[in-house]
Amino acid sequence: MAHVVLLGDSILDNGAYTSGGPDVVAQLRSVLPVEWDATLIAVDESVAADVPAQLRRIPGGATHLVLSAGGNDALGHIGLISAPARSAAEVLDQLAAAARAFEARYRAAVAAVLSRGLPTTLCTIYDGWSADASFQRRASTALLAFNDVIIRVAVEHGLTLIELRLICTEAADYANPIEPSSRGGEKIARAIAQAVGAYGATGGSRVVGGAER
């Protein structure tokens, strides 16, 4: 029996934000074939550095790992997009430094996951949804630096990548500006099922996004 394990943060551990609706892991179980199972060990508010500790809770019989990490790392630098600055160069230098530090932590997390020797899928960080259009544009732009890290790591290791920016694209996909609603969670669950090959065989690196929903 195939067994999918969800690692990382609240993009996968969204039960606190669904207003009583099903969370990602429940919705994943509902769309996987009956002989498959899914386990949630992702923890809300986790950052990339927390992932190796989560691996200790992987159940026996796990066959596929899915990792969503980085959103909270990026959130720790949210002040960069609103703080006054003397020049664009100053802002870009600060963003570059934040992305470099994140890259070290993210690579360590992925290395720990890959040490388990199981097929692994990575997730990008979605853009979120803010009613303030100017803030949203700046936040989405800043996230490019963090998502670049995730995409490069996925390509380097030949891993499947779920491009969440193409999946959670509407206000209803979010319970608040940064957490997935039950509707968004359903979209994420279906993308995970596609990524792990529950709807067909996979081979090598590929991207799962909006066009495959």
Side-chain angles (χ1 to χ4, degrees), residues 151-188:
I151 293 167
R152 284 189 287 112
V153 170
V155 172
E156 288 170 15
H157 290 284
L159 305 177
T160 297
L161 180 72
I162 297 176
E163 179 48 280
L164 290 177
R165 290 173 294 181
L166 299 180
I167 292 169
C168 294
T169 59
E170 303 172 291
D173 295 334
Y174 297 91
N176 59 44
I178 61 170
E179 309 291 355
S181 64
S182 194
R183 173 175 166 172
E186 180 183 8
K187 292 181 177 181
I188 294 169

Side-chain angles (χ1 to χ4, degrees), residues 22-115:
D23 59 4
V24 168
V25 70
Q27 294 183 100
L28 178 58
R29 292 183 185 121
S30 75
V31 298
L32 288 173
V34 293
E35 67 273 16
W36 288 55
D37 197 5
T39 294
L40 174 71
I41 59 176
V43 179
D44 185 12
E45 300 185 354
S46 291
V47 295
D50 296 322
V51 171
Q54 293 180 9
L55 293 170
R56 294 196 289 265
R57 298 191 289 115
I58 291 179
T63 59
H64 298 77
L65 305 180
V66 179
L67 172 64
S68 169
N72 290 317
D73 297 80
L75 193 60
H77 299 282
I78 193 70
L80 289 178
I81 64 176
S82 299
R86 291 183 296 271
S87 67
E90 180 182 4
V91 175
L92 290 172
D93 282 344
Q94 292 173 343
L95 181 58
R100 282 196 302 272
F102 168 65
E103 181 167 356
R105 297 191 300 271
Y106 190 77
R107 286 186 179 277
V110 172
V113 174
L114 293 179
S115 72

Side-chain angles (χ1 to χ4, degrees), residues 7-12 42 51 66-70 106 121-124 164:
L7 299 156
D9 55 28
S10 61
I11 288 179
L12 302 180
V51 171
V66 179
L67 172 64
S68 169
Y106 190 77
T121 296
L122 305 182
C123 300
T124 59
L164 290 177

